[in-house]
Amino acid sequence: MQNYSFLQPLLILFFLMFRTAVAMTTSKDTKQGALIFLHGLGDTPAGWSDLRRNLPSFHSRLQNIEYVFPAAPQISLTINGGAVMPGWFDLFDWPIAVGSKDDKEGLLDGVKLIEDHVSKLNEKGIPSSKIMIGGFSQGGAVALLAAYRNNNEEAYAGCAALSGWLTLPEELSVSEKAGKKTPLFWGHGTFDDKVLFPQQKFGVDKFREQGVNVKDKAYDIGHSSDPDEMKDFADFVDTCIFGSDTTTSSGKL
């Protein structure tokens, strides 16, 4: 019977090399964070998908996060006489001022969709503490509810509302964990004629009253975005996911 003991060191070496290769591949494939961003009424994910290119142009390490752009369902809009279009929830008043009626069922459906995407990211190895939730207009309203609603057990890296508004304000109850660990960026146009500008102060004041660290900025624009807001947004996302050290984050790609 032949003695193959001389192969044992080679087998051990092969095993160690294989395990190292698997670990390196897993580490390389796992993103360092994520941004879930919801589009606005009547839009599609394509409307904001350029964020995956624009944000890293301000902070290069933002190319190392996963970008998720969910699509809103086709729903009947009361303000449009029942016409069907992409939307996260129904709207009953136009323009959207402080005190406008809310569609709670539709809002919670949007929150559930975000939570489903968070679960998928968790399965990929991205913890909720490295996941940003954000959106524009209706999408921003849903993002706010998902990040700070009272029965939310996860503290996200941060939340961003661009031209959004606080829905269900009478039910707002921010958990201590979310208040401490999920800062908020709220950008809004002073000439917004769709989601009226006073919505920003109303919402920001409510969140600050409940302990949320809020950075609010106003821009001389309507219901849209501009480069200054994108720069501020990129700064916020970068800090929330990677921390305040910017020595390796700034600069064009």
Side-chain angles (χ1 to χ4, degrees), residues 77-93:
L77 266 292
T78 298
I79 60 168
N80 282 350
V84 174
M85 63 189 307
W88 297 107
F89 52 89
D90 198 5
L91 294 174
F92 307 98
D93 302 299

Side-chain angles (χ1 to χ4, degrees), residues 213-228:
N213 178 14
V214 184
K215 178 180 181 180
D216 56 312
K217 296 290 291 290
Y219 306 89
D220 293 332
I221 56 176
H223 193 65
S224 61
S225 185
D226 75 353
D228 289 338

Side-chain angles (χ1 to χ4, degrees), residues 39-222:
H39 62 77
L41 178 67
D43 202 356
T44 68
W48 286 89
S49 62
D50 276 354
L51 286 177
R52 63 164 51 95
R53 185 187 76 247
N54 292 340
L55 297 188
S57 73
F58 297 108
H59 294 279
S60 60
R61 58 188 176 183
L62 290 178
Q63 67 185 325
N64 300 320
I65 69 173
E66 183 158 341
Y67 292 86
V68 180
F69 302 100
Q74 297 284 332
I75 64 171
S76 174
L77 266 292
T78 298
I79 60 168
N80 282 350
V84 174
M85 63 189 307
W88 297 107
F89 52 89
D90 198 5
L91 294 174
F92 307 98
D93 302 299
W94 195 261
I96 303 167
V98 174
S100 293
K101 182 180 176 181
D102 292 319
D103 170 20
K104 183 174 181 178
E105 181 178 357
L107 283 160
L108 294 181
D109 285 344
V111 169
K112 176 62 167 56
L113 181 141
I114 288 178
E115 292 173 345
D116 289 344
H117 280 289
V118 168
S119 295
K120 293 176 182 177
L121 291 169
N122 293 160
E123 292 173 0
K124 292 182 177 181
I126 304 174
S128 296
S129 61
K130 292 292 185 179
I131 298 175
M132 282 280 308
I133 310 294
F136 175 77
S137 192
Q138 262 203 340
V142 176
L144 288 169
L145 193 61
Y148 301 108
R149 71 196 188 99
N150 59 358
N151 62 339
N152 178 37
E153 298 178 357
E154 300 290 342
Y156 299 120
C159 179
L162 309 183
S163 303
W165 72 98
L166 172 62
T167 58
L168 307 175
E170 67 284 353
E171 298 182 17
L172 180 64
S173 180
V174 178
S175 69
E176 183 177 357
K177 179 187 291 186
K180 290 181 177 180
K181 297 185 178 181
T182 308
L184 169 62
F185 173 74
W186 192 316
H188 215 110
T190 57
F191 303 113
D192 196 330
D193 59 351
K194 296 176 176 62
V195 181
L196 302 184
F197 184 55
Q199 286 278 19
Q200 184 188 43
K201 184 179 188 308
F202 176 77
V204 166
D205 288 349
K206 290 289 186 182
F207 282 113
R208 283 179 174 155
E209 288 171 4
Q210 299 211 17
V212 178
N213 178 14
V214 184
K215 178 180 181 180
D216 56 312
K217 296 290 291 290
Y219 306 89
D220 293 332
I221 56 176

